[in-house]
Amino acid sequence: MFDLSGDPFVLFRSWLAEALVSEPVVHDAVALATVDERGAPSVRMVLLKDLDDRGFVVYTHFSSPKGRQMTRNPRAALCFHWKSLRRQVRAEGDVELVSDAVSDAYFATRARDSQLGAWASRQSDELGSRKELEDRMAAMAERFPDEVPRPPSWGGFRIVPERLEFWVDRDHRLHDRAEYRRTSDGWRGRLLYP
Ligand SMILES: Cc1cc2nc3c(=O)[nH]c(=O)nc-3n(C[C@H](O)[C@H](O)[C@H](O)COP(=O)(O)O)c2cc1C
């Protein structure tokens, strides 16, 4: 079932394409785990917005807890679970900032309200009331009547995996697992016990 000498990005793309068809909502949702400077982990869902030839790209606020953690401690882990397919993919690796040009290009594709929302949100800071947020949205709509530029504190991070693991549910908990590790001359795949 697994091509252990193959490219795990090819397998990932085919699973993601199948998930697009079979998952009822947000097939591209993924748990992102980061670690703070004391070594304490935290995890939350984000959306996978791009998969380029280096890794997985997600977008967020740089000043959010996850943004600060990935800046100070540029290591992260991802976990996809597609319930409809009974499949899991895990990825671990270094984090790098996406270029301004790439973040700008992605931001430009977002709906205007989502663009304004990125300006209005002080992600994960204390919010006094819903009205406070709505007032900030209205203020941003006035500030940017036409095009909305990307906020300087919002953009993409790329998780560049050095390890990818594919898991498929099988009977009697005898699941299939394949691990791919990046080596100096390409990927090395092997099977793992369930
Ligand atoms: C399905 C789903 C997708 C989400 N996608 C994103 C995302 O792409 N970027 C983001 O910043 N937050 C996203 N969130 C919100 C985060 O889970 C989280 O609440 C927020 O980013 C604050 O996280 P932090 O305080 O750990 O930085 C998403 C939440 C869910 C449930």
Side-chain angles (χ1 to χ4, degrees):
M1 115 147 268
F2 295 112
D3 173 8
L4 295 175
S5 57
D7 179 346
F9 278 61
V10 172
L11 179 58
F12 180 84
R13 281 180 201 283
S14 75
W15 281 22
L16 187 67
E18 285 181 64
L20 174 61
V21 176
S22 68
E23 283 292 308
V25 280
V26 287
H27 74 290
D28 49 2
V30 56
L32 166 69
T34 56
V35 178
D36 75 10
E37 59 275 17
R38 293 171 299 120
S42 57
V43 63
R44 80 289 292 155
M45 300 304 295
V46 292
L47 296 178
L48 175 70
K49 284 298 168 189
D50 194 17
L51 174 62
D52 59 24
D53 51 8
R54 289 185 55 72
F56 302 91
V57 177
V58 303
Y59 286 89
T60 193
H61 294 259
F62 299 146
S63 55
S64 67
K66 75 178 108 35
R68 289 200 308 269
Q69 287 171 14
M70 287 190 285
T71 304
R72 284 185 203 157
N73 187 0
R75 296 279 303 168
L78 297 170
C79 184
F80 296 84
H81 179 215
W82 295 297
K83 296 181 182 67
S84 60
L85 298 172
R86 296 167 179 270
R87 289 174 182 171
Q88 169 181 256
V89 176
R90 297 166 58 181
E92 288 120 37
D94 289 336
V95 176
E96 57 186 36
L97 208 55
V98 163
S99 72
D100 284 346
V102 168
S103 285
D104 286 344
Y106 169 66
F107 191 77
T109 68
R110 287 168 61 108
R112 176 175 165 80
D113 280 350
S114 301
Q115 293 177 331
L116 293 171
W119 279 95
S121 177
R122 295 174 168 147
Q123 193 173 60
S124 301
D125 281 0
E126 181 174 345
L127 172 67
S129 66
R130 184 79 201 177
K131 183 169 182 312
E132 184 181 311
L133 179 59
E134 285 162 5
D135 288 349
R136 283 180 61 83
M137 268 300 267
M140 294 305 161
E142 257 180 48
R143 180 172 166 191
F144 303 111
D146 304 315
E147 232 170 78
V148 186
R150 177 174 62 90
S153 65
W154 186 100
F157 289 98
R158 182 184 295 105
I159 294 91
V160 181
E162 62 194 30
R163 177 181 180 276
L164 277 161
E165 187 206 305
F166 296 81
W167 181 102
V168 185
D169 187 43
R170 295 287 301 268
D171 287 346
H172 317 301
R173 301 218 164 84
L174 298 180
H175 315 301
D176 287 322
R177 292 175 74 195
E179 178 197 71
Y180 296 82
R181 283 187 181 272
R182 205 190 282 272
T183 70
S184 50
D185 56 348
W187 290 96
R188 182 177 166 274
R190 60 182 187 151
L191 300 179
L192 301 177
Y193 276 96

